[in-house]
């Protein structure tokens, strides 16, 4: 029964698996166009629906797959459920939302973009490291209490809402499919207004 | 690659990460580990005394040998492989056409700083907090989803001219 | 939309529809939690020896927090220097959260024997506290080894045992104050700073 680490595979093999999964992750990010900062920003302006489609398809696939595998007894997903700290996640999320628009990347996409030669992504990574160092150096004075506030424990969203888990997943899937169709329409609407250069750049 | 196929394969990868290692795909955690390793190399005393880094360097533990750091190494290779296959491997600055290179780079650094702080405060980024969190139905993942994208849309509206050429600029 | 796109979306919708008929995950959780708990109960590192504790106190090691889990009366009549009194009934109180939710410190529980401290340990482990230890043998062992150490019998004397005995003898002077030997001086144990720290992610547990 998964997770196989640490009971069935040793730490070295686990790191190797991490490396291999990373290769797949980087490949898929690049192949799906996540290294193009304009495609990422397209989420928010509607001229490119690619990122939304990839992101939610991935989330749905993992969600449904893990739930079914858990039910079949192949994997215990409760072991990896993260603890929710709602206050810092809310504030951190707002900061990240601002960073997304200003910087045009998120950390994972910036790394794959920098690896493929995007200079703006390299600058972004420099910024991320500055931010993390700054956070660590000011941790005690500014962040410590805030980061540990609002602890709710390992909360399952369905438990929190009070809805059956499977029903939640199904509803979420339906909403996501409707969102895909809506974003596709938004993108089609934009496509008429974009120049041919833009369309080539975005690959839509 | 088709968006739905890419997403589907990415989802399978998340399942694999949980199945083999009990880890969610993540990024900011790996950046953090690199930062802590650097601090630990420069001043082990400081790393031991700082409450944020202390438990990750306790007992001579080396924070560079973590699953996330190896995963990020893989991301670099994977992205290069894909870009090589699709012929996208070249130096360039990605930006909206009407933004100057210098402005784009300044803003990229600034946005990066915000992400550096936001990820450490919010306990993860779009991959580790949101995508992997949603995969196990964690409330934290959905809070991350709602705030990152919710505020993203608000700030996108405010900073529209960074990405969209409007009549005014 | 292309055919393969529709295929993937249909696959997801069908998969999601199937999950409706599955029971909630929480209800079938416990099995691995018990297994994990058992393996942790049997882990040697769960115990701290009396020598380790004595050494920490003598060296004014600030990273140890000692918790006396006996009742108040017993605590008042005798306890180890610097220990705080929290017992089974009030261990879950909010005001003690700072003592227990700490990562930078080693929290060590003790009672007269081991059983009461073990009980508290179990209670804490089941509520997501990790890394907490129990003083092996409790105060009985403390008395036998530190306060009133017995000299090993001559023909069993090894260099290691002798070293241990000498340490214990010195520790005994230190704690009882009957005789101050050179090298070890009686210092008032400083009160320990308590820092709020959240524990690392814990997997498994007690349902």
């Amino acid at each position: 029964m998964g997770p196989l680490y640490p009971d069935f595979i040793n730490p070295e093999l686990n790191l190797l698996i991490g490396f291999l999964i990373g290769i797949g992750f980087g490949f898929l990010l690049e192949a799906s166009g996540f290294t193009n900062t304009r495609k990422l920003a397209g989420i928010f302006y509607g001229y490119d629906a690619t990122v939304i489609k990839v992101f939610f398809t991935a989330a749905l696939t993992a969600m449904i797959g893990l739930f079914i595998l858990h039910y079949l007894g192949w994997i215990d997903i409760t072991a990896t459920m993260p603890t929710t700290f709602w206050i810092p996640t809310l504030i951190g999320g707002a900061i990240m939302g601002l960073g997304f628009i200003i910087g045009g990347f998120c950390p994972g996409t910036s790394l794959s973009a920098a690896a493929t030669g995007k200079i703006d992504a390299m600058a972004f990574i420099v910024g991320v490291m500055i931010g993390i160092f700054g956070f660590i150096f000011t941790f005690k004075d500014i962040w410590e209490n805030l980061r540990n506030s609002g602890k709710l424990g390992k909360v399952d969203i369905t438990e929190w809402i009070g809805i059956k888990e499977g029903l939640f997943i199904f509803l979420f899937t339906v909403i996501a499919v409707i969102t895909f169709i809506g974003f596709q329409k938004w993108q089609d609407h934009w496509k008429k207004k974009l120049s041919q250069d833009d369309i080539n750049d975005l690959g839509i | 690659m088709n968006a739905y196929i890419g997403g589907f394969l990415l989802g399978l990868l998340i399942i694999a990460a949980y199945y083999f290692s009990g880890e969610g795909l993540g990024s900011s955690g790996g950046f953090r580990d690199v930062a802590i390793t650097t601090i630990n190399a420069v001043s082990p005393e400081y790393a031991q005394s700082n409450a944020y880094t202390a438990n990750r360097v306790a007992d001579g533990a080396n924070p560079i040998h973590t699953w996330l750091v190896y995963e990020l190494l893989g991301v670099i290779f994977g992205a290069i492989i894909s870009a090589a296959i699709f012929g996208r491997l070249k130096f360039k600055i990605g930006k909206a056409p009407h933004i100057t290179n210098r402005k784009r780079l300044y803003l990229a650094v600034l946005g990066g700083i915000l992400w550096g702080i936001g990820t450490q405060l919010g306990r993860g980024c779009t991959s580790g907090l949101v995508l992997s969190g949603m995969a196990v139905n964690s409330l934290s993942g959905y809070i991350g989803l709602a705030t990152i994208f919710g505020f993203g849309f608000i700030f996108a509206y405010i900073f529209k001219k960074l990405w969209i050429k409007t009549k005014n600029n | 939309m292309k055919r393969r796109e529709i295929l993937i979306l249909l696959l997801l919708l069908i998969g999601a529809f199937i999950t409706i008929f599955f029971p909630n995950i929480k209800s079938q959780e416990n099995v691995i939690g018990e297994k994990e708990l058992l393996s942790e109960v049997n882990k040697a590192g769960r115990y701290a020896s009396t020598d380790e504790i004595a050494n920490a106190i003598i060296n004014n090691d600030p990273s140890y927090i000692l918790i006396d889990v006996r009742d108040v009366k017993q605590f008042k009549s005798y306890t180890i220097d610097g220990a705080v009194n929290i017992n089974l009934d009030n261990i879950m109180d909010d005001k003690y959260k700072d003592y227990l939710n700490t990562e930078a410190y080693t929290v060590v529980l003790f009672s007269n024997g081991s059983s009461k401290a073990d009980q508290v340990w179990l209670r804490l482990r089941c509520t997501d506290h990790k890394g907490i230890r129990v003083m092996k043998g409790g105060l009985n062992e403390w008395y036998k080894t530190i306060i009133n150490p017995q000299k090993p019998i001559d023909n069993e004397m090894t260099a290691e045992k002798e070293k241990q005995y000498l340490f214990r003898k010195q520790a005994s002077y230190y704690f009882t104050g009957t005789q101050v030997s050179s090298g070890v001086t009686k210092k008032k144990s400083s009160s320990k700073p308590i820092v709020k720290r959240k524990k690392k992610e814990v997997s498994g547990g007690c349902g």
Side-chain angles (χ1 to χ4, degrees):
Chain A
M1 186 165 164
L4 296 185
Y5 176 80
D7 288 347
F8 300 102
I9 54 183
N10 61 41
E12 289 77 22
L13 183 59
N14 188 43
L15 292 181
L16 178 67
I17 289 170
F19 180 68
L20 295 175
I21 286 177
I23 289 181
F25 189 26
F27 186 95
L28 290 173
L29 285 178
E30 209 291 330
S32 307
F34 280 45
T35 56
N36 184 338
T37 183
R38 291 188 72 200
K39 276 180 102 69
L40 292 169
I43 308 167
F44 300 103
Y45 299 103
Y47 57 75
D48 192 331
T50 312
V51 176
I52 285 284
K53 288 181 191 164
V54 176
F55 189 83
F56 281 100
T57 308
L60 291 173
T61 306
M63 197 188 292
I64 297 166
L66 284 172
F67 192 78
I68 293 176
L69 289 178
H70 183 100
Y71 181 75
L72 297 176
W74 286 29
I75 185 169
D76 177 32
I77 65 171
T78 58
T80 43
M81 172 81 82
T83 304
T84 300
F85 293 75
W86 73 272
I87 298 171
T89 298
L90 194 87
I91 299 170
I95 297 173
M96 289 184 253
L98 178 60
F100 215 145
I101 303 304
I102 303 280
F105 282 111
C106 61
T109 53
S110 72
L111 188 65
S112 44
T116 59
K118 303 291 190 300
I119 296 159
D120 49 323
M122 297 173 196
F124 182 92
I125 290 176
V126 171
V128 172
M129 293 312 290
I130 295 172
I132 294 177
F133 278 118
F135 182 90
I136 292 174
F137 293 142
T138 55
F139 180 64
K140 207 168 184 53
D141 299 320
I142 304 176
W143 310 106
E144 187 166 17
N145 288 327
L146 182 60
R147 189 173 188 271
N148 293 324
S149 61
K151 183 185 178 188
L152 299 179
K154 292 164 179 282
V155 188
D156 188 301
I157 181 148
T158 58
E159 212 173 274
W160 187 70
I161 302 175
I163 184 176
K164 201 170 173 237
E165 219 147 353
L167 185 62
F168 175 83
I169 292 176
F170 180 69
L171 291 177
F172 194 83
T173 309
V174 172
I175 293 169
V177 171
I178 294 169
T179 311
F180 293 155
I181 295 168
F183 265 85
Q184 183 61 47
K185 289 223 146 64
W186 201 3
Q187 178 184 318
D188 293 343
H189 169 75
W190 263 100
K191 210 169 172 180
K192 292 173 210 148
K193 291 203 267 178
L194 293 172
S195 68
Q196 193 55 45
D197 279 351
D198 287 342
I199 290 171
N200 290 343
D201 181 30
L202 292 167
I204 50 177
Chain B
M1 186 182 285
N2 181 282
Y4 295 113
I5 294 174
F8 184 71
L9 294 176
L10 195 54
L12 296 183
L13 212 55
I14 296 171
I15 296 175
Y18 273 125
Y19 182 71
F20 287 109
S21 306
E23 301 264 2
L25 290 183
S27 313
S28 56
F31 285 102
R32 175 204 61 210
D33 291 337
V34 171
I36 293 177
T37 306
T38 313
I39 292 173
N40 195 36
V42 175
S43 169
E45 294 80 21
Y46 182 81
Q48 297 282 357
S49 71
N50 186 307
Y52 196 64
T53 56
N55 64 311
R56 293 200 174 80
V57 295
D59 306 325
N62 191 340
I64 201 72
H65 295 302
T66 61
W67 194 90
L68 282 173
V69 172
Y70 281 76
E71 180 228 47
L72 287 190
L73 279 177
V75 167
I76 295 174
F77 280 93
I80 291 174
I81 294 168
S82 169
I85 291 173
F86 294 104
R88 289 194 281 248
L89 203 55
K90 59 169 180 251
F91 285 103
K92 80 176 255 202
I93 295 176
K95 62 183 179 59
H98 63 281
I99 300 285
T100 62
N101 285 344
R102 176 191 285 258
K103 186 173 181 188
R104 169 69 187 126
L105 294 182
Y106 280 139
L107 289 172
V109 173
L110 184 62
I113 292 173
L114 289 168
W115 272 99
I117 295 167
T119 53
Q120 301 313 304
L121 182 62
R123 293 164 194 270
C125 61
T126 348
S127 7
L129 172 71
V130 183
L131 197 51
S132 303
M134 283 166 71
V136 292
N137 281 340
S138 170
L139 178 62
S140 58
Y142 285 90
I143 297 176
L145 174 75
T147 51
I148 294 176
F149 288 98
F151 282 96
F153 276 103
I154 295 170
F155 290 121
Y157 182 76
I158 298 171
F159 297 106
K160 196 173 178 183
K161 60 178 188 218
L162 290 181
W163 299 100
I164 306 284
K165 195 167 167 61
T166 55
K167 287 181 196 109
N168 301 331
N169 55 1
Chain C
M1 250 195 283
K2 292 182 203 118
R3 185 181 288 166
R4 58 183 175 186
E5 296 186 344
I6 294 170
L7 193 73
I8 288 179
L9 292 184
L10 268 181
L11 199 67
L12 289 176
L13 282 169
I14 293 168
F17 186 71
I18 292 172
T19 62
I20 296 181
F21 303 102
F22 289 179
N24 281 357
I25 277 171
K26 284 287 166 198
S27 54
Q28 40 171 315
E29 183 181 14
N30 250 324
V31 189
I32 198 163
E34 281 166 24
K35 218 169 61 186
E36 249 172 51
L37 193 65
L38 200 66
S39 88
E40 279 203 27
V41 167
N42 294 328
K43 224 188 265 169
R46 189 165 76 84
Y47 287 107
S49 71
T50 50
D51 290 323
E52 180 186 338
I53 302 301
N55 192 34
I57 299 172
I58 292 171
N59 292 320
N60 261 344
D61 184 338
S63 69
Y64 282 79
I65 291 178
L66 296 175
I67 296 180
D68 186 339
V69 299
R70 301 171 306 157
D71 56 41
V72 186
K73 218 173 108 190
Q74 288 176 311
F75 172 75
K76 280 195 173 142
S77 74
Y78 176 77
T79 193
I80 299 176
D81 274 10
V84 287
N85 181 225
I86 309 178
N87 54 46
L88 192 55
D89 300 326
N90 55 20
I91 194 98
M92 287 298 140
D93 282 8
D94 269 358
K95 60 180 167 178
Y96 297 127
K97 242 170 38 192
D98 293 353
Y99 283 96
L100 303 169
N101 263 331
T102 163
E103 220 159 52
Y105 297 96
T106 308
V107 176
V108 182
L109 311 171
F110 65 91
S111 52
N112 282 333
S114 280
S115 63
K116 204 164 175 189
D118 277 338
Q119 237 178 319
V120 176
W121 181 89
L122 207 60
R123 179 101 186 253
L124 288 170
R125 187 62 194 83
C126 286
T127 48
D128 248 19
H129 297 77
K130 218 177 174 184
I132 289 179
R133 300 167 77 190
V134 168
M135 188 167 87
K136 196 158 180 66
L139 282 172
N140 293 337
E141 184 76 10
W142 176 261
Y143 184 80
K144 256 196 322 222
T145 55
I146 305 297
I147 304 300
N148 190 18
Q150 297 301 314
K151 192 169 183 183
I153 307 161
D154 275 348
N155 56 17
E156 284 179 2
M157 188 75 103
T158 60
E160 203 168 287
K161 275 192 173 168
E162 187 168 5
K163 204 172 139 207
Q164 186 187 43
Y165 176 67
L166 282 175
F167 166 76
R168 287 176 173 179
K169 201 77 194 151
Q170 283 191 330
S172 169
Y173 295 144
Y174 176 87
F175 287 108
T176 56
T178 46
Q179 195 183 330
V180 177
S181 76
S182 60
V184 184
T185 46
K186 172 112 183 162
K187 280 176 275 181
K188 195 134 177 59
S189 66
S190 56
S191 64
K192 297 169 182 77
I194 304 300
V195 186
K196 267 192 188 170
R197 293 277 291 121
K198 171 60 194 100
K199 307 204 63 64
K200 246 165 82 181
E201 207 69 356
V202 179
S203 53
C206 313

